[in-house]
Amino acid sequence: DTEVTQTPKHLVMGMTNKKSLKCEQHMGHRAMYWYKQKAKKPPELMFVYSYEKLSINESVPSRFSPECPNSSLLNLHLHALQPEDSALYLCASSQDQRGQPTKGYTFGSGTRLTVV
Amino acid sequence: AQSVTQLGSHVSVSEGALVLLRCNYSSSVPPYLFWYVQYPNQGLQLLLKYTSAATLVKGINGFEAEFKKSETSFHLTKPSAHMSDAAEYFCAVIPTGSGGSNYKLTFGKGTLLTVNP
């Protein structure tokens, strides 16, 4: 299995809703990432998990809450989002953040989030 | 922080013509460099990577890139464009020598490739 699977593919939520995005990989990767991509822009890093521990938070607002329950799963919990948070949310994984990152990241196909 | 600059936000070529997408990096120490492609409404797919093993790197779908330290460049080329190559292309960098949590993949602004029949 060489894929990163993200669910749901599309999500529409109100500003008072609570929802979660899910990401799963079975490649044995020990680093997982959340990126946010606005239309016609490059992906921007939000969070990094290394060996199930949060290692980087790129000053993301607290209405985004990541969770890594085990080495294969990564969640992003959403609460009280704003319309400007509408974007494509991409999950990625890589072999090991502490080692040589020679194999790059494997990306999922993303969750298209619309906040209304 | 190390970064990459993609020259040209939009490149248009005719089917069968040479594709050249430009990427320059900003550091004295060569970083790890990657090219990703993103088709509409999809995630990112790795085309190829430079990790100091060879300066001419061959990737998927007929693409290749040459690392030139003297020019701090890592341009992406394909000899003959196909209609299916139309997509957004991102050059990306992971800095070397930083260690641990500094291994962050950072993207250039992207180049939209259109292929005309």
Side-chain angles (χ1 to χ4, degrees), chain A residues 38-102:
Chain A
K38 301 283 279 183
K40 301 189 186 302
K41 297 289 186 183
E44 294 181 344
L45 184 66
M46 300 174 71
F47 301 104
V48 179
Y49 273 84
S50 179
Y51 289 82
E52 295 92 69
K53 293 191 188 314
L54 182 66
S55 64
I56 296 177
N57 177 342
E58 293 286 91
S59 303
V60 178
S62 60
R63 57 185 183 268
F64 296 91
S65 176
E67 178 197 22
C68 190
N70 59 57
S71 61
S72 300
L73 281 175
L74 185 66
N75 298 320
L76 185 62
H77 302 299
L78 314 172
H79 173 54
L81 294 193
Q82 303 298 310
E84 58 264 30
D85 296 321
S86 299
L88 180 67
Y89 288 83
L90 293 162
C91 174
S93 68
S94 67
Q95 210 165 27
D96 183 336
Q97 208 197 16
R98 288 182 289 185
Q100 295 292 319
T102 56

Side-chain angles (χ1 to χ4, degrees), chain B residues 2-105:
Chain B
Q2 293 187 14
S3 64
V4 289
T5 300
Q6 292 183 243
L7 296 176
S9 59
H10 186 196
V11 170
S12 181
V13 301
S14 298
E15 193 172 18
L18 171 71
V19 175
L20 171 61
L21 305 181
R22 299 177 187 273
C23 174
N24 289 86
Y25 65 91
S26 63
S27 74
S28 57
V29 177
Y32 299 115
L33 292 160
F34 306 85
W35 276 99
Y36 282 85
V37 61
Q38 187 174 34
Y39 298 101
N41 299 312
Q42 293 191 25
L44 290 97
Q45 182 181 13
L46 180 65
L47 280 175
L48 47 80
K49 58 185 184 284
Y50 168 74
T51 55
S52 76
T55 57
L56 183 61
V57 181
K58 294 188 183 299
I60 62 172
N61 302 340
F63 285 94
E64 64 180 39
E66 186 173 7
F67 174 78
K68 292 187 176 180
K69 185 177 178 181
S70 60
E71 298 177 7
T72 62
S73 69
F74 189 57
H75 301 331
L76 182 71
T77 61
K78 182 174 180 178
S80 177
H82 295 162
M83 297 294 290
S84 59
D85 294 327
E88 186 88 27
Y89 291 80
F90 292 99
C91 184
V93 61
I94 293 178
T96 53
S98 307
S101 63
N102 289 325
Y103 282 144
K104 297 191 296 185
L105 184 69

Side-chain angles (χ1 to χ4, degrees), chain A residues 3-27:
Chain A
E3 289 187 343
V4 173
T5 302
Q6 290 189 245
T7 55
K9 295 205 178 301
H10 300 275
L11 178 63
V12 179
M13 61 184 291
M15 290 187 282
T16 59
N17 292 159
K18 287 185 181 180
K19 297 287 185 183
S20 296
L21 309 184
K22 180 180 174 182
C23 174
E24 193 166 3
Q25 58 87 14
H26 296 287
M27 296 177 280

